Amino acid sequence: DTGVSQDPRHKITKRGQNVTFRCDPISEHNRLYWYRQTLGQGPEFLTYFQNEAQLEKSRLLSDRFSAERPKGSFSTLEIQRTEQGDSAMYLCASSTSGITDTQYFGPGTRLTVL
Amino acid sequence: QQQVKQSPQSLIVQKGGIPIINCAYENTAFDYFPWYQQFPGKGPALLIAIRPDVSEKKEGRFTISFNKSAKQFSLHIMDSQPGDSATYFCAAPSPRGTYKYIFGTGTRLKVLA
């Protein structure tokens, strides 16, 4: 399978714990995006990378959230001191560098904070 | 805050019907409007996208109509099938010249057999 992959697919954690998600983009894609989707809503942008550089972060990305893409390949999204409001689907997408190049989404990681 | 307004929120049609989903945007840095289809528990999958050089694009049973002056675009599904039952999202580029998308709130479509 050469699509975007995400791990884990589901994560249940207790409030206050830290969690980390991984995204592996399509191999030739140098842009990588993180979105968050809550029930009944469209995906909301969190952050994106061009290669290893994090070029934009949404105001939704509080200080408890951090994302990395150390070698310009896979990316991790960490949430520290999770809160119940962090419960959502976390989606990763990747694309090539053209202005209108399509973003391809992974299957998402469903986070439940108890 | 840029918004993309999508309607209706939900839609039920009979098999063979032509559901139409509408989106309106405010401003974009460039013109590229994709539609995504999402099944429960899955990530959004690109369905069809339109670039600014045309006002309509067809791919199979799916058609996008684009009205640049009105800042509106719509998705038509011809001869809809029960397998088309899913949530559909429109998206528009951010007005700020970055590459993120602003998504609509989604339309839950149910096609009755």
Side-chain angles (χ1 to χ4, degrees), chain B residues 86-104:
Chain B
T87 301
Y88 293 81
F89 293 97
C90 61
S94 160
R96 291 179 51 210
T98 61
Y99 301 103
K100 68 183 184 185
Y101 290 161
I102 311 295
F103 281 82

Side-chain angles (χ1 to χ4, degrees), chain B residues 7-37:
Chain B
S7 63
Q9 188 174 18
S10 63
L11 197 49
I12 300 174
V13 300
Q14 294 287 338
K15 178 181 173 183
I18 306 175
I20 301 172
I21 305 170
N22 300 298
C23 283
Y25 62 96
E26 296 174 4
N27 295 297
T28 58
F30 53 89
D31 292 333
Y32 175 72
F33 302 95
W35 285 89
Y36 285 83
Q37 179 188 57

Side-chain angles (χ1 to χ4, degrees), chain A residues 9 31 33 35 37 40-43 45 48 50 56 59 89 91 97-108, chain B residues 1 30-32 36 38 41-46 49 51 89 94 96 98-106 108:
Chain A
R9 295 291 309 278
R31 288 204 193 120
Y33 312 79
Y35 289 85
Q37 186 177 26
Q41 298 297 316
F45 171 80
Y48 95 94
Q50 174 93 17
E56 186 175 351
R59 285 174 290 179
M89 174 80 88
L91 293 163
S97 321
I99 288 177
T100 59
D101 284 358
T102 299
Q103 294 182 23
Y104 294 92
F105 282 83
Chain B
Q1 175 81 17
F30 53 89
D31 292 333
Y32 175 72
Y36 285 83
Q38 187 174 30
K42 305 289 186 182
L46 178 71
R51 292 186 167 85
F89 293 97
S94 160
R96 291 179 51 210
T98 61
Y99 301 103
K100 68 183 184 185
Y101 290 161
I102 311 295
F103 281 82
T105 51
R108 184 174 293 182

